[in-house]
Amino acid sequence: MTEQETIHVADVSEGIGGDATAEPGSPVELPVVDVLTGRSFITGKSGSGKSNTASVVIENLLDNGFPVIIVDTDGEYYGLKEEYEILHAGADDECDIVVSPEHAEKLANLALEQNVPIILDVSGYLEEDTANELLLEVVKQLFAKEKRLKKPFLLVVEECHEYIPEGGGMDETGKMLIKVGKRGRKHGLGIVGISQRPADVKKDFITQCDWLCWHRLTWDNDTKVVGRILGSKYASAVEDLGDGEAFLMTDWDESIRRIQFHRKETFDAGATPGLDDFERPELKSVSSDLVGELQSISDEKARRESELADLRQELDKKDQRIRQLESELEEARDLSDMADQFAQALLGKAEAPYRGGSGRSVASRKRPDQSELGDHDGEATTGGADEGGSTDAETVGAGGTTTTGTEAPATDAADGEHGTEGPDGRRREDAEPEDDDAPATGVDPVTRSDVAEGALRFDDAIELGTREAVIDELRGRIESLPELSRGMLRHYRREGVSDPVAAHIDAGGDGDAGHAYSRHRPIRKAGLIRHAGRGHYAYAVPDLIREAYADRLDEPAVRETVREVETAFVPPGERSYPPDATPEDLGEDETWTGKPADGACEESTDGAFGGAAEGATDGTGPIGPS
């Protein structure tokens, strides 16, 4: 860096606004410190010489060892590399190094601490936001470091109206440039703004400038700005200025001079192309060590971006796997729902055969014929097909009321705690309110709390864990049942799964649902049967015994214990035979109380019915042979 205090950039010219005290051709010199630390505005229409003026000033500063940073918006300053070792940084392959906002601090260090002149070429960035962010970070770093270094340094900004517009909104980059214009001088940081449209540049910036160059302007809005700042005679004269000629206004000598700037000495990359062949001169390259420092930042950025790309790819794979698992989970839920619906359908269609019946569900089957059921307690039933081929059967209740085989007698569920009306119209006190286990037209004679209470009593009875305690408890429950209820329990033992009406008829009762559920109540309350879904119940004595011993008994022992309990209600002739036994299976001294050969019991099709299902699967009936 030399001790020269001024730079010779132009000569006095003739014409309106000329300096009367100086002869035309007299040298015009600018003080170096005022140029480096001051605020300047260079303007003029395209082709008037404003970029040439900036290049002449920069060449003189570089000749004297003063570094600068040039913000090049059109890629026209790389010609300086013809004579000077200057770092060309930007986004093009023609640049010495491709830079991004991550390089901002290093660029400021090179310029201020290593005196490296820099062309910051933002013309090659496809994204305007990226160029703005790069410029913003570089200016921030320059401003922050100059507060400490206090070193004279010049920032040149082309097309400054794009960053500090007069009418439009100003982003963070523009605000930072205004901050440099207002406060940079005290830190040693100067700025030169260049624009071809002074009317579009924020006036707060123009009015604070220490020196201004007005090249040729022709638009009314632009000449009006000249008139407001220089005076009316200059507003008209500025239209007649020649190429490279300008009005120079400076604060240090408080004068306005008409001068002719020198031609730049380096390659004019910004000249308008003509018919002559374009020949790019040989340009100087910067030190490989200098570029290497910046390249290390680029390499680190590339490494981080590669790692981020790998992480994003891994994340995408995991997201894809999560979506796949979610899809599989949804499919599994759909399959589970389908399985539940299928199971419910099976439960809804599960057949509950009764002695002499066809094996269809109670809700859809016809009432059995009088000849099959016989007379029960003096209640007459009639059924079968009529002469017209009808398959509807009718049941005549005790009070003479006639109902079809698919109907149940009306009940008063709302008043169930005080009894229900029977077929004869009288209220029965032994009926209970209906719950979700009973058919819509029937009365469920037991509640869940009753079953839970019975289970607790059973647990208390078998605390000793002895076989006799279990047998005595279950036999006691059975022996306490009314005779008709014990007959219904025998029906459940034979059928495995059935419904109260069928059990009631089989035990000698009538087809009245109210009567059936009333007799059914003690059996269920004792826990000897369990609800199997859709108004059907399953024989539960084998399961009670298994549960009493926590499934520690083997099946032969379970069957032996069941046989001991069943002596309380199963006649000797039935105990040793499965439900599908025929009369020929019995001895001469045994009384047949099972089903006829052509009415063999159908096995339960659903394993969800507890002990009944287990017995069906091994071919031994619900409790197995004795």
Side-chain angles (χ1 to χ4, degrees):
M1 188 177 297
T2 68
E3 298 295 329
Q4 187 169 340
E5 296 182 355
T6 62
I7 53 177
H8 181 201
V9 296
D11 299 315
V12 175
S13 64
E14 295 180 324
I16 298 175
D19 190 350
T21 64
E23 292 293 328
S26 301
V28 176
E29 295 183 344
L30 304 179
V32 172
V33 174
D34 288 301
V35 171
L36 287 174
T37 62
R39 293 149 290 186
S40 173
F41 180 59
I42 302 175
T43 185
K45 68 182 299 183
S46 179
S48 64
K50 64 181 184 304
S51 295
N52 175 79
T53 297
S55 295
V56 170
V57 173
I58 293 169
E59 287 175 352
N60 278 271
L61 292 175
L62 294 177
D63 287 337
N64 289 278
F66 297 105
V68 296
I69 285 184
I70 307 162
V71 181
D72 188 358
T73 58
D74 293 316
E76 58 186 5
Y77 282 88
Y78 71 85
L80 292 169
K81 290 175 66 68
E82 183 183 8
E83 295 292 335
Y84 306 100
E85 188 175 344
I86 185 169
L87 178 65
H88 186 196
D92 293 333
D93 293 336
E94 295 181 350
C95 298
D96 297 321
I97 183 71
V98 175
V99 294
S100 61
E102 286 81 0
H103 296 82
E105 183 177 5
K106 186 62 179 179
L107 291 172
N109 286 337
L110 290 174
L112 294 177
E113 298 179 6
Q114 299 184 36
N115 294 323
V116 177
I118 298 173
I119 301 172
L120 189 60
D121 189 348
V122 297
S123 64
Y125 291 95
L126 298 178
E127 298 292 335
E128 184 178 344
D129 291 343
T130 303
N132 277 356
E133 184 181 0
L134 173 61
L135 176 57
L136 173 62
E137 293 302 320
V138 169
V139 176
K140 280 183 177 180
Q141 292 293 333
L142 289 174
F143 189 84
K145 293 180 183 300
E146 278 288 60
K147 290 177 67 175
R148 175 176 57 86
L149 296 174
K150 305 290 185 181
K151 175 182 179 180
F153 186 85
L154 183 62
L155 173 66
V156 180
V157 183
E158 272 280 3
E159 305 295 346
C160 64
H161 59 271
E162 294 184 1
Y163 304 107
I164 48 176
E166 170 64 16
M170 194 162 49
D171 60 13
E172 292 299 318
T173 303
K175 293 177 182 177
M176 193 65 213
L177 292 174
I178 292 293
K179 185 176 181 180
V180 172
K182 290 181 177 180
R183 300 171 52 191
R185 184 182 183 89
K186 66 178 65 176
H187 302 311
L189 181 60
I191 183 171
V192 174
I194 305 172
S195 174
Q196 59 182 329
R197 295 299 307 274
D200 293 341
V201 179
K202 194 169 186 64
K203 300 307 177 289
D204 287 348
F205 176 78
I206 296 177
T207 56
Q208 293 183 62
C209 289
D210 305 312
W211 58 283
L212 301 94
C213 290
W214 303 87
H215 287 276
R216 183 171 62 252
L217 295 167
T218 58
W219 289 94
D220 288 343
N221 289 342
D222 296 331
T223 57
K224 288 178 181 178
V225 175
V226 177
R228 287 200 302 270
I229 296 177
L230 301 182
S232 58
K233 72 173 182 177
Y234 295 99
S236 57
V238 76
E239 299 182 25
D240 298 325
L241 293 174
D243 292 348
E245 197 175 19
F247 289 119
L248 175 64
M249 176 183 179
T250 60
D251 283 355
W252 51 78
D253 57 10
E254 297 182 353
S255 65
I256 300 176
R257 288 173 286 179
R258 183 168 180 162
I259 63 176
Q260 178 70 48
F261 278 90
H262 299 161
R263 287 286 296 183
K264 62 185 295 187
E265 296 181 359
T266 54
F267 173 64
D268 188 1
T272 302
L275 298 177
D276 297 334
D277 292 336
F278 173 80
E279 294 184 5
R280 178 172 174 166
E282 184 178 351
L283 304 178
K284 290 185 177 181
S285 59
V286 296
S287 167
S288 59
D289 294 338
L290 186 64
V291 176
E293 294 182 41
L294 293 169
Q295 188 62 47
S296 63
I297 297 175
S298 299
D299 293 341
E300 177 64 20
K301 179 186 177 184
R303 185 188 64 79
R304 290 198 307 268
E305 290 178 348
S306 177
E307 290 178 352
L308 286 174
D310 292 341
L311 291 173
R312 289 192 188 98
Q313 186 176 10
E314 190 67 24
L315 182 60
D316 289 341
K317 289 180 180 178
K318 292 185 181 298
D319 288 342
Q320 185 177 2
R321 179 58 178 160
I322 289 173
R323 289 192 295 269
Q324 180 183 355
L325 292 175
E326 288 176 344
S327 177
E328 292 176 358
L329 179 60
E330 191 64 28
E331 290 178 2
R333 287 173 177 164
D334 291 342
L335 290 174
S336 177
D337 291 342
M338 291 175 62
D340 289 343
Q341 294 175 9
F342 184 67
Q344 292 297 328
L346 287 179
L347 291 175
K349 295 181 179 180
E351 297 179 344
Y354 58 92
R355 183 178 59 179
S358 64
R360 291 169 300 189
S361 63
V362 172
S364 62
R365 70 169 180 266
K366 310 301 183 292
R367 290 296 185 190
D369 190 84
Q370 171 81 19
S371 60
E372 294 182 4
L373 298 178
D375 295 331
H376 301 292
D377 298 336
E379 296 173 358
T381 61
T382 62
D386 58 18
E387 292 180 358
S390 172
T391 58
D392 289 339
E394 295 182 346
T395 302
V396 181
T401 303
T402 302
T403 60
T404 64
T406 57
E407 296 177 347
T411 61
D412 188 359
D415 197 29
E417 60 179 319
H418 301 297
T420 59
E421 277 190 5
D424 56 1
R426 291 175 297 177
R427 185 167 298 280
R428 297 199 316 278
E429 300 297 331
D430 56 349
E432 292 292 327
E434 61 178 88
D435 65 8
D436 57 351
D437 294 338
T441 57
V443 178
D444 186 32
V446 68
T447 64
R448 290 182 178 84
S449 60
D450 293 332
V451 177
E453 181 184 354
L456 291 174
R457 290 202 311 271
F458 183 58
D459 291 341
D460 294 338
I462 62 171
E463 282 182 355
L464 297 178
T466 63
R467 181 172 181 272
E468 290 77 10
V470 174
I471 294 173
D472 288 346
E473 168 62 22
L474 293 178
R475 286 176 58 88
R477 294 187 186 187
I478 295 170
E479 290 171 352
S480 66
L481 296 175
E483 182 177 355
L484 192 56
S485 297
R486 286 201 300 273
M488 294 173 71
L489 182 60
R490 286 173 57 195
H491 172 85
Y492 282 114
R493 176 196 176 265
R494 287 194 300 270
E495 305 300 337
V497 177
S498 188
D499 66 275
V501 175
H504 191 241
I505 295 173
D506 193 14
D510 57 22
D512 181 87
H515 293 163
Y517 277 92
S518 177
R519 306 298 192 277
H520 184 259
R521 169 190 166 90
I523 315 172
R524 189 182 175 201
K525 187 173 182 180
L528 300 172
I529 57 173
R530 292 178 178 177
H531 187 237
R534 302 183 66 86
H536 287 64
Y537 296 84
Y539 184 58
V541 171
D543 282 344
L544 286 173
I545 293 172
R546 292 187 186 95
E547 293 166 4
Y549 288 95
D551 292 328
R552 291 191 300 270
L553 285 184
D554 56 15
E555 283 304 306
V558 171
R559 288 195 292 271
E560 179 65 25
T561 306
V562 168
R563 185 166 56 250
E564 291 293 330
V565 171
E566 289 177 344
T567 59
F569 72 101
V570 180
E574 288 186 35
R575 294 173 196 164
S576 302
Y577 294 91
D580 57 352
T582 64
E584 288 75 12
D585 295 326
L586 300 177
E588 294 180 357
D589 297 334
E590 295 176 315
T591 303
W592 170 252
T593 56
K595 291 189 287 188
D598 58 354
C601 173
E602 295 180 13
E603 292 181 355
S604 171
T605 59
D606 197 325
F609 294 162
E614 293 182 26
T617 58
D618 61 9
T620 60
I623 60 172
S626 56

